[in-house]
Amino acid sequence: MKAATHPAHVEGVTPRQAAQRLYDTGRRFASLPFGNRMLAIEIVRAFEGANVRFGDTLASGEAMQAVRYELQRICTAAIANPFDPEHLDAVKAESARFARQAGRASNTETQQ
């Protein structure tokens, strides 16, 4: 008789672990789904390949709120790091947008 192969059970995932895994897989606070059920699915997807099952993730509304809070803290810390490539790209994009708007404003002033 062949032994059943089940993935190893992972003891509960903490909100901090879930938030870090979401961040590592490219999810950011602003892009999180509103519903707790969809957030739980996103967490499981973030742990894909790590033997984490749906039942291992967080099951309460308070836990989902904690994941959102932790992910917001991670994102805020990354933005505060001036050498973070993602932050530098965002600053460059914002600067370019401002330059375009300032260029339009000066063009309209000279036309008047």
Side-chain angles (χ1 to χ4, degrees), residues 14-61:
T14 67
R16 177 72 180 167
Q17 291 170 328
Q20 187 63 54
R21 192 63 176 230
L22 285 167
Y23 183 83
D24 293 343
T25 58
R27 294 306 301 247
R28 299 299 181 258
F29 176 75
S31 69
L32 288 181
F34 290 110
N36 290 341
R37 176 182 233 154
M38 291 306 297
L39 180 57
I41 291 169
E42 288 297 322
I43 292 169
V44 170
R45 287 181 182 157
F47 279 97
E48 191 171 13
N51 293 329
V52 172
R53 299 173 296 187
F54 189 76
D56 298 329
T57 61
L58 309 158
S60 70

